[in-house]
Amino acid sequence: MNTVLLLVLTVGTLWAIQKIVGFRRALVSINSHPGLRTVFSIRGLASLLPRIPYITGGRNKAWQAKHSAFAELDLDIVSFVSALPKASTGFAVADATAIREIVGSRQRFPKPVAMYKGLLFFGGNIVASEAEDWKRYRKICGPSFSEPNNRLVWDETVGIMNDLFDNVWGGKTEIVSDHALEITMPLALFVIGAAGFGRRMSWNEEFSASAKGKGELSFKDTLHTVSEGFLIKLLVPEWAVPFRKRFREVILGFQELERYMHDMIELRRKAEKKEERYDLLSSLLDANDDPVNGQSLLSDQEVLANIFIFLIAGHETTAHSLCFAMALLALYQDEQEHTYQQIKKAIPDDRDPTFHHLSALDYVEAVMNETLRMYPPVVSIPKVSAEDTTLATTNSAGEKIIVPIPAGASVNLHVVGLHYNPKYWEDPYQFNPSRFLGDWPRDAFLPFSGGVRSCLGRRFAELESIVAITMILQKYKITVKEEPQFAGETFEQKKERVLKTKPGLTLTPVRVPLVFTRRD
Ligand code: HEM
Ligand SMILES: *[C@@H]1O[C@H](CO)[C@@H](O)[C@H](O)[C@H]1NC(C)=O
């Protein structure tokens, strides 16, 4: 035989044996805990392929499978083991008690920061860091999400909704939207603009990503371009940028945002007397200047990177969940009517909601919670095991099962599996906001993660959503747009179509066509 061929065969065989040994060793390290076995890792490039049994894990699997992968094995912690590119073990967790333990011990289960490298282009920030850096960021960023900021979110959202009603929807009795994201994306952007950056924007100023005059974008266009072009910035290599207009626009957006933020930081710093302002940027800058030794705890670049990350963390998540909420209310007319009646009871004279109405609007909050249970924008939250340890779960017979978790294993909090786990949620596929009134299983609800690394913007997003839903329902009735091509469909088919999702940075509604009809 040809010696070259022999050499190739030998090397190939040795390589394969080494991979198989690695795979077997990985299985032994988790005591063969049941789960998914694939040749390729469920992360990385192979995750873009469709599911092929024993070869790949498939795309968007976490979302599609809901709780079924756990139910099949009668376990709320399942493993995944793969051989290529290198042997790896991981776990998906849909057990509320185990999740509480994981989010409660940041040392044992830190965030796998390597996965967040893409978020570092403006510098170190709260989302993409761990350990001492993260502590420093959280200490400065945390207090910005204060009670006065919450009130600002509330008031600015009221103003933005009124601007929409008065100046865009005007006196029209019926507003047809081909996709509700057209409303919720700008809405969430304007709220971050105002309550995050201290800059108001209006609906009537057109979006256009192309520069006005000398390579300058308006602030509104800048935020819009950056937030929606974020994935392009993340994925497109620098050399490819000149080849497409859209790539160039996105890069310009990022440069402009950096310029705006530097200007805003300068302005705030130079101001003779600090105004009382509670947008996140102002508060962050105030918190950053330590009055005792006159030093800044974060560099300007770090301030900029953190404010930028608020935009990325808070824009799409909130816009998508509001869009899902409107879709659900349009589909479930009884629920919409009930929510409307609750709003009327809370605010009998149809005035704009004020912060004082908050506690009376608990049903609207329940609608948002139920939306986030069924359509959590973040479908899974990655952690990694820092040491050889164990987690426990129970099967349906109530037997306790101890799962060995080796150091280095990835541990995914499977938000969707948890939210559709029938152990915690009766009839998990049913949209039923009232399940959130009274007692509900708090540990089985994880849209904002949990523990010390939970979402800083939770209140921000909740209040914005409550105001937006309240004000829309006060004035309009929401229905699914009738389209001739869908005339014969059943409710189930309609629901599937309107609530169809695709993967993205966060769970993305594909197309939610709605009609808003004035109530008076
Ligand atoms: C419905 C809307 C939102 C959802 C579902 C959501 C969800 C989440 C989740 C799951 C995490 C943990 C991520 C991880 O572990 O990698 C997180 C973290 C974070 N979110 Fe949100 N978020 C929302 C809105 C917002 C808003 C509006 C802001 C800011 C204005 C924000 C700021 C942050 C920040 C700063 C963190 C990092 C916290 C830390 O690591 O210490 N989020 N969010
Ligand atoms: C909604 O969920 C949050 C936790 O994310 C909780 O604090 C709040 O009490 C819930 N409100 C209602 C009305 O369910």
Side-chain angles (χ1 to χ4, degrees), residues 124-194:
N125 63 68
I126 184 167
V127 173
S129 58
E130 246 305 339
E132 291 310 309
D133 279 337
W134 169 78
K135 270 200 210 152
R136 198 160 50 89
Y137 297 143
R138 181 98 184 184
K139 200 172 133 198
I140 301 294
C141 296
S144 306
F145 292 83
S146 59
E147 188 70 9
N149 182 257
N150 290 341
R151 287 167 186 272
L152 183 65
V153 169
W154 189 284
D155 294 341
E156 291 297 329
T157 310
V158 171
I160 290 163
M161 293 309 292
N162 278 328
D163 179 30
L164 172 71
F165 297 152
D166 297 343
N167 302 321
V168 186
W169 290 5
K172 279 184 258 176
T173 47
E174 207 178 77
I175 291 95
V176 180
S177 166
D178 218 47
H179 190 357
L181 272 190
E182 291 163 0
I183 298 159
T184 64
M185 284 298 276
L187 167 63
L189 192 72
F190 299 168
V191 178
I192 296 248

Side-chain angles (χ1 to χ4, degrees), residues 95-146:
D95 182 296
T97 312
I99 286 177
R100 192 177 54 192
E101 186 173 337
I102 295 165
V103 298
S105 23
R106 193 173 57 84
Q107 313 287 344
R108 270 165 77 209
F109 299 103
K111 193 165 184 170
V113 278
M115 283 177 66
Y116 293 76
K117 276 205 303 275
L119 294 177
L120 288 173
F121 44 74
F122 276 140
N125 63 68
I126 184 167
V127 173
S129 58
E130 246 305 339
E132 291 310 309
D133 279 337
W134 169 78
K135 270 200 210 152
R136 198 160 50 89
Y137 297 143
R138 181 98 184 184
K139 200 172 133 198
I140 301 294
C141 296
S144 306
F145 292 83
S146 59

Side-chain angles (χ1 to χ4, degrees), residues 106 111-112 116 119 125-130 134 137-138 141 145 149 153 188 191-192 195-196 280 306-307 309-322 368 372 375-383 413 415 446-462 464-465 506:
R106 193 173 57 84
K111 193 165 184 170
Y116 293 76
L119 294 177
N125 63 68
I126 184 167
V127 173
S129 58
E130 246 305 339
W134 169 78
Y137 297 143
R138 181 98 184 184
C141 296
F145 292 83
N149 182 257
V153 169
V191 178
I192 296 248
L280 300 175
N306 279 290
I307 278 286
I309 221 68
F310 296 165
L311 170 68
I312 297 304
H315 179 210
E316 203 188 89
T317 42
T318 313
H320 288 185
S321 53
L322 259 174
M368 272 328 291
L372 289 167
Y375 294 88
V378 181
V379 295
S380 111
I381 300 165
K383 303 281 181 192
L413 312 184
V415 179
L446 208 70
F448 299 102
S449 191
V452 290
R453 289 220 67 161
S454 64
C455 178
L456 263 181
R458 175 171 72 83
R459 236 17 214 156
F460 192 114
E462 284 172 351
E464 168 180 347
S465 305
T506 62

